[in-house]
Every structure is written in C-alpha cells, then in structure tokens.
Amino acid sequence: MNSALRLRPSVLKAKETLAAGREKLRLQHDQGSPGVQVCTRLTDLFDQIVLDIFDAALVDLGEDGPNGLASKITLVPHGGYGRRDVAPYSDVDLMILHHPSAFARAAELAKRMVQDMSDVGLVLGHSLRTPRQAISLGLSDATIFTSLAENRYLTGSVSLFRTFADQLRNRAVRRFRWLFFAILQARHSERVQYGDAVYLLEPNLKRSRGGLRGVQLVRWLGFAKCGEVEIDSLSLLGVLSDRDRQILRNARNFFLQIRNEMHFHAGKSNDQLDRGEQLRLADRYGYVGTKGMLPVEQFMQQYFVHSSGVRSVVSNFIETIRPRSILYRTLAPLMTHRVDRDIYVGPRVISTSKRWKAEKSGHVSEILRLMDLANLYDRWIDHPTWESIRLRMQTIGEIELDDEGRKRFLSIMSHPPRLGEVLSRLNELGVLEKIITGMPHAKALLQFNQYHKYTVDVHCIETVRCATKYQDRDDALGEAYRSLRSKRILHLALLIHDLGKGFEEDHSDVGARYALETAAKLQLTPRDAESLRFLVQQHLVMSHLAFRRDTTDKDLVVRFAIDVGSPELLKMLFVLTCADFDGVGPGVLNDWKVRVLGELYRASMRHLGVELEGESSKRLQHKRERLEQLAQKQKDPAWFRRQFHALPPSYLNDTPADRIADELAQLQKLPVEGAFVSTTYLADHDVIEITVGTHEQVVPGVFHRIAGAVSSLRMSILSAEINTLADGLVLDRFYVIDQESSGEPAAERMDDLATKIKKMVLDKNDAPPNFRSRWTSKASRTAAHVQVLPTEVKIDNGTSEQFSIVEVFAHNRVGLLYAISRAIFQLGLSVSIAKIATHLDQVVDVFYVSDEAGEKIEDEQRLQEIREHLIDAVDEFRAQND
C-alpha cells in the first residue's frame, strides 16, 4: 500500500503546501530576491504549516472550541525560527508553553505534532515546558538561553506568552554578568569546533568566526544587557554605533543569500562553504575575475570583508558592554598615573581623555604613540580608545605621515614583543593600510589553494608573529634572528612580501615596488630601502634553491651568496624564508625544512667569510681521514678508496664515516643481480630514510621503481638522492613520511617497506604497482575534481653546467612521482638528483637529468619532446586515477 494513503489528510495537505511553497520561493530566490526576504517568507510558510497541523490536531484530539487546550498553551517559535531567518531546510524550533494543570493534554498534543511534522518533511525541535520551567532552564544554561531569547508568539494563550517573555527579559537583565560570561564561553566552544579564525579556507557559514553566529551573538548579548535582540533597537539604545549596525545588516543579508542558495542547491541543510561550493557560488553570482585574480578569489574576498567586519563589530560590542567588577572600578583610579594630560597608564590598560578621543584619535602619529607606550608599559589600550580610533579611521581617506608618525611606526617595527598582535589590531582598525602601500588591496584577499590557510593580509602579519617567536629557538634560525642588529627591515619585508598577489604581474615584482613606495613614505635610508626591496623581491629565492636545486653545487651557492652580498642580509632572508613557510599554517614549517634551509644558509655564509658556530672547515677533512683508516681495514683497500673519491658531496657530508663504510661493504658483496634495502627512522626529523644499493646496468630505471614502491605503501617522498658511484654501482637514498602512522612506524611496517622496495627494484617486468586511494574529506575530494591546475613542465639549462634541470608542476596524487620518473626513464634520461616538494594539493618535482652520454640536453627539439612527453604522462596518469 502506498504510504501516502496512510497519512492524515492534514499532513498530505501540509506536504503539498511545503513543496509548492519551497518551489515558489526557490524561483523568487533564483530571480534575485534578497536573502532576508526569502527567509521571512520561508518562516511564514513554516508558520502556516505548523498552524494547520496544530489546528488539525486539536480537532482530532477533541481539544478545539472555547474551552479547549488552546487557552492553556502557547506555541512559541525560538532560535532561528523565532528570529524569522530560517533557511530552506532548517529545523523548526518550537516550544509548547503550557499551564501546569494542562501537562498531560499538552504532552499528547506534542506527540501528535512531532509525528505529523516529521511526516510532512520538517524536523521539529520541540520542548514542552511551563513558563517557570522555561525561564529557570534559560537562566541556568547559556545555550538554552540564547535560543529562548529569540522568541515570538505564534498562537494560543497571549497571557501565558507574556508571562514567559516579560519575566525572561527582566530576570535576564538582572543576571547579565553571569549570562555575559556563560554565553561567551559557549560560543568559544563552538568556534573551536567549527573554526576560530575569520580567514579559514573552508568556513562554516553559520558557525565559524565572523559568520552568522557573530550577528546572533550581538543579539543574544544585547537581550541579556538591554532586553532587546533587534540590531536596530540596540543602535537606538546607544550600545551599538550606526555604522556597526549597518555592517551587521549588510553581512547578515549577504550570508543569508548565500545560505539559501547552498540549501536550495543541495536539497538539504548545508552550511559548509567548501572549495567546491566556493567555485560554484562564484560562477552562480557572476564573478568574472581578472588576469591576476580568480573569480572564486573575488567571491571569497567579499565573504571575508563581511566576516572580518562582523568579527570586528562583535569584539567591540563585547568590550562596550563587558561588566567590570566593583573592586576593579574602585582600585583602578588609585593605581593609575598620567603620562601627560590626555594619556593614563592603569594596572591593566592605557586609557585616554575625552579630549584625546575627540581631537587626536584620527591622527596616525598619536595612535602609534599609544602603541609605543603600550609596548613600553606592557599594557593594552582600553576599549573606548580603540573604539574612537576605529570609528575615526572609517571616515578618513589617505593620510600623510609626519616625522613623529614615521619614528613611532619604525620604533614599533623594531621591537618584537607583541608585534604580531599590535599589527593585527592596527589592521583591524584600518590604520595599517594608511601606512603600508598595497595593504588595502591585499585585505581579505584569498589565495585559492590548499596550501595557504589565511588571506594575504593575515598571512603577512602572521609571518611577522612567527618570526618574533624565533627569539627563543635554540638553533641556527634562532641565532640568526637574535643576532640581527636591526630587525625592523626584516619585519617590514615580512609585512610586505606577499602584498603583490592578485595581479597579472609576478607578485614579487609588484611587492618590490610596494617596498620602495613604503620605504619612501617612511623615509628610510637608501641602504635600508634597497635591503627592503631585495628581501621582498627575492623572498622565494632561498626556498627555490633549497628545495628545487642541488645545493651541493658550489657554483650555485657561490652565485647565491654573491647575489645576497652581505651576512646581515642573508640572515634576514633565511629568517624571512622560514617565517613565510611558518605563516602558511600550523605544521608547515617542520624541522626538516629548517634543516634544509639551514644547510644552504651555512654554506652561503662561508662564502661570505663567516664560519658559523659548529661549522668547522676541518670537519670534512677529518671524515676523509677516518674513511682512509676504514679502507685500510678492508680486504680490498683500493676498491674502497675508489668509491670514497666518487662519493657525491651531499652523501659524504651527511653520512657518518662508519655508515658509509658499512653501506659500501654491502655493495661490494652484492651478487650481480642483487640489491640491498635498509630503512631507518630519524626521530629528530620524524622521517624515514630509505637506502637502496644495486648495480646500475642490472637494474635500469631504479629511481621510478623505488618511487612506485614507496608511494604504493602510502609514503610521501620529501626528497631523494641518486648517487652513482664507481664501477657502475648505485646508492640511492629517499626521505619519506609515513601517512599511516605518527612517530616511529612499527618494525613490521619497516620490514614490509624494505621487502616491497627490493621486490620492485629487481622486478624484470617493471610492472606498475597498485596505488591505494588516499582517504580524504568530502571537501577535499570535491576540490580535487573542480580545481586542478594544468600540468606545467619547465627545463632550466642555465643553472647547472652538467645537467638539464626538469621541473614538473602538477596536482598531487598518490603515485604521481612514479608516473613522472618512469616517463623520464622511458625518454632515455638518467636522473642524478631529485628534489620533491609537495604543498598539500600541488607538487613541484625537480630532476637533474642527463642523456645517454651523460651530457645535458641542448637540442631545442629534444627539449620540446621531453616537455610534451612528461605533460602527456601526467595527464594520462590523472585520467586513469580520477
């Protein structure tokens, strides 16, 4: 039997009403109706259905009529349903208030309504309470309170509703202090779960910081403070400025429009703004992009403008109404002293007079003076002063820095303590964009990839914050930062380095112009201006060389050192490079990257005449002497000496002498068609080192075989060394991260890894391995299908005299390195060095290659053939694995 035939007529009618109403509102939404308007009409639609179900239930239960249940109960929408901003597939939050004597009858009604609403297709979040119970629960649980604060009358006893609503309002205002802190704690817990940063890559439209919850938080706190939830009413009461009121209204309209679209498109509740949705919405709303900015980046920039505005308004509103203890209000004046007639230093904050707020809050030099004092006294500036600055900055355009302002700003940039926090506040207030050229363009600018976690302006400030923390590091990075005579040029370079993004031109070149313009505005000396320009324009060079070039090539290191020119500038470039990684997001700068960058830093310093602590020029000589001693103990000393002299510099530098001798002894004993594989966990870097030794002629293409075995076991390859020794021997080393374990892998897994690699290396058929799909989140899977950048192959014939350097830029997948390296082998090229750099969803694989004769490839036609073959190989691999 058709289940629809078993439904009550009232339910069937309500289902039809819901379907028709949703379809009508979807058409209105598609035609451009404002989000608030669609939500209001959706609420009216839900009201109609609830009332129809309610009336039908009263009749069926015999509770209709003048003496029926309607006189003893009240239907009270609350939460989102109460404030009339429901989305197409929102739940219906409904409280049934009842007179104490009517509990049994009200419970029967509630049971009937829950069933009928479910049959209609709406989720009814219901509660059954007396006014006293509802008020008691609301005033003891912040989450319940925030929902009940958004209440309205729907039907039933008006007097019962007024009893509840009036008492809740009056008692909430009396309990404001407790509710204030309880609401903030509940909101903090939710933000931790859904995202505590405004600039998350994939925010939750409702619950992430700066989203709809921020607007609602103002309403809830406003109700607790003043008994009012409406933004307009709070503005009229003077606790919210008119400009802040407008910011919240505009953001709410934008968010509701987007949320309605996401619900209608999904056909269900959906508030997660993942990358797939971002791309779809940018297209849906007609963002066209520019040559330097994708449409989706334009769309997300608008989102972040709204979310950062909400975040700023909410923060200021919280401070405006924050309750102060009587003890603090009594003692603070006694513990406060004047700096001058307008500025006061208290036990916790620095405050200003009414005259300062009225006359000086719009002067950048005065604001910077306050910042300087805040650093000097280790105090924060009080909220009324911040609020006066924020409102004034919104009304003024470009400014001219006077001498005092320049000195103050450079003083701030010279002192690491709390510098990141100070810059963040200056950015929120709109002061920073008055000083730093390029900051207005970069504000809320999204970098649409899985690598960067923050918008451009926040990333730049975050890199400054990261650099200041290096003060406490006990390594070369910490020493480099601490030893800088003047840190302000480094901090300025970090603040500017990525501001040139979003244009067609290379962002480093745009940033270099911004650096010179900022230097002129701050009247830096010509030498400092040139240092700032160099650091910004060359901020990617050190990471490029460290992770994509052979840094054991002395000529390359010498050229780099000459280009930098001074030890002080090299220190700053080293710190800047590390901080640029660090500011991308948690865990991006790991010990491995610091070590690799540190090796290039130390090698370059030696060429600039500086021998860093722990770097002795005699170290390598001592190792060679030790190797000679070990050779004399072998049966064939001449063979070992020949191998020692053939060792590549990187292998010789990084490997202990005893281990070199041991691995060469294993090579010497290998049968003609044999191989040995060893796996070692390096705890200091949390990586696995894989060493493979074999005969080059017996096992051609050993590199891609190892890459295939490692990838098939879910290992991410960080870097690889391909060492060709004397007598046709091969000793390759891979550094990998195990995706299936944290910390040291189990012995069984290490053995499995060694066994599988050896099997594949010696496989005569060179059969491709099977790659297991990686587990990814729904958002990542969606993004992988909708945003795949085109494969790009570049060949550098100028850096190395011996090798052609092939760079492959592609979207990362399990087994991609195998596909690329196998294609290189099929082209008849030999790989001597490999640099593997994976940035979450993008990979840059670099190979130093030579032809069959061991020479670099010079013929342009051959080079084009290599490019085309590699692109085809990557695209074919992608097609097979999508």
Side-chain angles (χ1 to χ4, degrees), residues 2-33:
N2 190 330
S3 60
L5 298 178
R6 299 195 297 269
L7 297 178
R8 280 182 273 270
S10 58
V11 172
L12 290 172
K13 179 184 175 183
K15 283 178 70 70
E16 294 172 358
T17 301
L18 178 62
R22 272 188 180 146
E23 184 58 30
K24 179 181 178 181
L25 289 172
R26 174 161 191 166
L27 291 174
Q28 292 180 9
H29 165 79
D30 290 343
Q31 291 167 2
S33 290

Side-chain angles (χ1 to χ4, degrees), residues 275-524:
R275 295 179 72 201
E277 276 295 87
Q278 292 170 25
L279 285 161
R280 188 186 69 80
L281 289 167
D283 180 65
R284 164 74 173 81
Y285 288 106
Y287 291 84
V288 295
T290 65
K291 291 184 178 179
M293 190 183 297
L294 297 171
V296 67
E297 292 173 338
Q298 289 183 321
F299 165 69
M300 288 304 293
Q301 185 173 38
Q302 185 176 4
Y303 169 85
F304 287 131
V305 165
H306 286 300
S307 64
S308 60
V310 169
R311 189 255 189 199
S312 178
V313 170
V314 171
S315 296
N316 283 283
F317 182 73
I318 288 171
E319 292 306 316
T320 297
I321 66 171
R322 180 182 293 275
R324 309 291 179 184
S325 69
I326 296 175
L327 180 62
Y328 178 78
R329 292 199 301 269
T330 303
L331 295 180
L334 302 177
M335 301 172 65
T336 298
H337 70 274
R338 286 175 179 257
V339 174
D340 59 25
R341 62 178 291 189
D342 291 315
I343 299 176
Y344 315 92
V345 178
R348 296 180 184 174
V349 297
I350 292 179
S351 56
T352 59
S353 67
K354 290 182 179 179
R355 190 177 78 90
W356 190 98
K357 296 181 183 70
E359 298 179 7
K360 298 182 179 181
S361 60
H363 295 278
V364 171
S365 59
E366 289 292 333
I367 297 169
L368 295 175
R369 181 185 179 216
L370 274 182
M371 289 289 187
D372 230 357
L373 289 170
N375 276 342
L376 177 64
Y377 288 100
D378 194 23
R379 301 284 194 275
W380 286 115
I381 297 171
D382 74 341
H383 172 68
T385 301
W386 274 120
E387 183 68 357
S388 67
I389 296 170
R390 186 176 69 91
L391 295 175
R392 186 64 63 86
M393 285 295 109
Q394 293 171 350
T395 63
I396 63 176
E398 294 186 9
I399 57 102
E400 286 289 335
L401 271 182
D402 57 21
D403 288 341
E404 187 67 20
R406 283 187 283 271
K407 291 177 183 177
R408 295 291 182 189
F409 185 69
L410 290 175
S411 174
I412 289 169
M413 296 301 294
S414 300
H415 295 90
R418 300 198 320 192
L419 178 56
E421 287 76 8
V422 169
L423 291 175
S424 293
R425 291 305 298 268
L426 286 175
N427 192 40
E428 292 170 15
L429 293 172
V431 176
L432 200 57
E433 61 199 64
K434 311 290 186 186
I435 303 171
I436 301 297
T437 306
M439 188 61 75
H441 162 78
K443 209 161 189 180
L445 177 61
L446 173 74
Q447 300 171 78
F448 191 70
N449 54 50
Q450 288 283 20
Y451 184 50
H452 281 89
K453 185 179 178 65
Y454 306 115
T455 54
V456 173
D457 58 324
V458 173
H459 164 70
C460 289
I461 293 171
E462 187 64 21
T463 61
V464 178
R465 193 194 314 269
C466 292
T468 61
K469 293 179 180 178
Y470 300 159
Q471 184 82 24
D472 301 322
R473 287 184 69 113
D474 186 21
D475 58 5
L477 179 56
E479 176 60 28
Y481 182 75
R482 286 189 296 272
S483 66
L484 287 171
R485 290 190 296 273
S486 174
K487 297 178 173 62
R488 69 185 188 185
I489 298 301
L490 167 66
H491 296 153
L492 276 171
L494 286 164
L495 193 56
I496 297 170
H497 77 281
D498 265 358
L499 297 185
K501 290 193 171 180
F503 297 102
E504 182 179 8
E505 190 179 354
D506 187 288
H507 80 279
S508 297
D509 294 334
V510 177
R513 290 200 297 274
Y514 286 162
L516 291 176
E517 291 174 22
T518 301
K521 187 180 293 188
L522 297 174
Q523 294 186 1
L524 299 181

Side-chain angles (χ1 to χ4, degrees), residues 130-354:
T130 65
R132 183 175 181 178
Q133 290 171 338
I135 293 167
S136 177
L137 285 169
L139 295 177
S140 61
D141 186 301
T143 302
I144 295 175
F145 173 81
T146 56
S147 183
L148 294 183
E150 307 269 16
N151 64 72
R152 60 186 174 88
Y153 171 82
L154 183 58
T155 190
S157 171
V158 175
S159 62
L160 198 64
F161 173 75
R162 289 262 53 94
T163 298
F164 157 73
D166 291 345
Q167 288 189 23
L168 178 66
R169 177 183 296 105
N170 295 334
R171 292 179 63 183
V173 172
R174 292 200 297 270
R175 293 208 66 192
F176 168 64
R177 181 181 181 83
W178 182 87
L179 285 170
F180 176 88
F181 293 107
I183 291 169
L184 291 187
Q185 180 57 47
R187 176 67 187 117
H188 174 72
S189 300
E190 184 180 52
R191 283 207 313 265
V192 169
Q193 180 179 356
Y194 288 97
D196 197 26
V198 176
Y199 302 98
L200 284 174
L201 187 69
E202 297 180 329
N204 185 290
L205 194 63
K206 182 178 179 182
R207 293 182 170 88
S208 291
R209 195 170 195 180
L212 281 167
R213 272 287 192 262
V215 181
Q216 294 159 15
L217 180 60
V218 171
R219 294 170 61 96
W220 302 334
L221 291 173
F223 184 78
K225 174 68 175 177
C226 313
E228 293 286 350
V229 294
E230 296 300 334
I231 300 300
D232 291 348
S233 299
L234 295 173
S235 180
L236 289 173
L237 289 171
V239 293
L240 191 69
S241 72
D242 184 66
R243 187 175 183 87
D244 285 354
R245 176 188 68 85
Q246 195 60 49
I247 289 172
L248 293 181
R249 285 175 63 88
N250 291 342
R252 178 172 178 257
N253 292 342
F254 176 80
F255 292 149
L256 291 180
Q257 178 94 12
I258 298 303
R259 191 181 185 214
N260 289 340
E261 169 62 27
M262 292 168 66
H263 276 230
F264 277 131
H265 178 75
K268 61 181 180 181
S269 178
N270 176 33
D271 297 327
Q272 192 69 34
L273 197 55
D274 63 35
R275 295 179 72 201
E277 276 295 87
Q278 292 170 25
L279 285 161
R280 188 186 69 80
L281 289 167
D283 180 65
R284 164 74 173 81
Y285 288 106
Y287 291 84
V288 295
T290 65
K291 291 184 178 179
M293 190 183 297
L294 297 171
V296 67
E297 292 173 338
Q298 289 183 321
F299 165 69
M300 288 304 293
Q301 185 173 38
Q302 185 176 4
Y303 169 85
F304 287 131
V305 165
H306 286 300
S307 64
S308 60
V310 169
R311 189 255 189 199
S312 178
V313 170
V314 171
S315 296
N316 283 283
F317 182 73
I318 288 171
E319 292 306 316
T320 297
I321 66 171
R322 180 182 293 275
R324 309 291 179 184
S325 69
I326 296 175
L327 180 62
Y328 178 78
R329 292 199 301 269
T330 303
L331 295 180
L334 302 177
M335 301 172 65
T336 298
H337 70 274
R338 286 175 179 257
V339 174
D340 59 25
R341 62 178 291 189
D342 291 315
I343 299 176
Y344 315 92
V345 178
R348 296 180 184 174
V349 297
I350 292 179
S351 56
T352 59
S353 67
K354 290 182 179 179

Side-chain angles (χ1 to χ4, degrees), residues 50 54 58 68-78 93-110 113 124-138 144 147-169:
V50 169
F54 173 72
L58 289 179
L69 189 58
S71 63
K72 298 290 186 180
I73 65 170
T74 304
L75 299 191
V76 183
H78 58 91
D93 292 327
L94 186 70
M95 179 169 63
I96 302 178
L97 275 180
H98 64 88
H99 191 276
S101 63
F103 171 74
R105 296 158 65 193
E108 186 67 23
L109 173 71
M113 289 190 67
L124 180 65
H126 81 291
S127 57
L128 184 65
R129 294 165 184 156
T130 65
R132 183 175 181 178
Q133 290 171 338
I135 293 167
S136 177
L137 285 169
I144 295 175
S147 183
L148 294 183
E150 307 269 16
N151 64 72
R152 60 186 174 88
Y153 171 82
L154 183 58
T155 190
S157 171
V158 175
S159 62
L160 198 64
F161 173 75
R162 289 262 53 94
T163 298
F164 157 73
D166 291 345
Q167 288 189 23
L168 178 66
R169 177 183 296 105

Side-chain angles (χ1 to χ4, degrees), residues 847-861:
F847 306 89
Y848 281 61
V849 303
S850 56
D851 61 16
E852 293 88 342
E855 303 291 336
K856 66 194 304 184
I857 300 94
E858 303 280 8
D859 181 68
E860 195 57 45
Q861 185 175 348

Side-chain angles (χ1 to χ4, degrees), residues 571-592:
K571 289 177 186 177
M572 287 193 279
L573 188 59
F574 174 44
V575 176
L576 187 153
T577 304
C578 291
D580 195 12
F581 279 113
D582 212 355
V584 166
V588 175
L589 181 72
N590 52 31
D591 289 343
W592 180 269

Side-chain angles (χ1 to χ4, degrees), residues 603-621:
S604 303
M605 273 294 194
R606 285 196 294 273
H607 289 294
L608 292 174
V610 178
E611 193 69 44
L612 297 175
E613 184 180 352
E615 289 294 312
S616 171
S617 59
K618 296 181 179 180
R619 184 167 59 90
L620 191 57
Q621 179 61 32

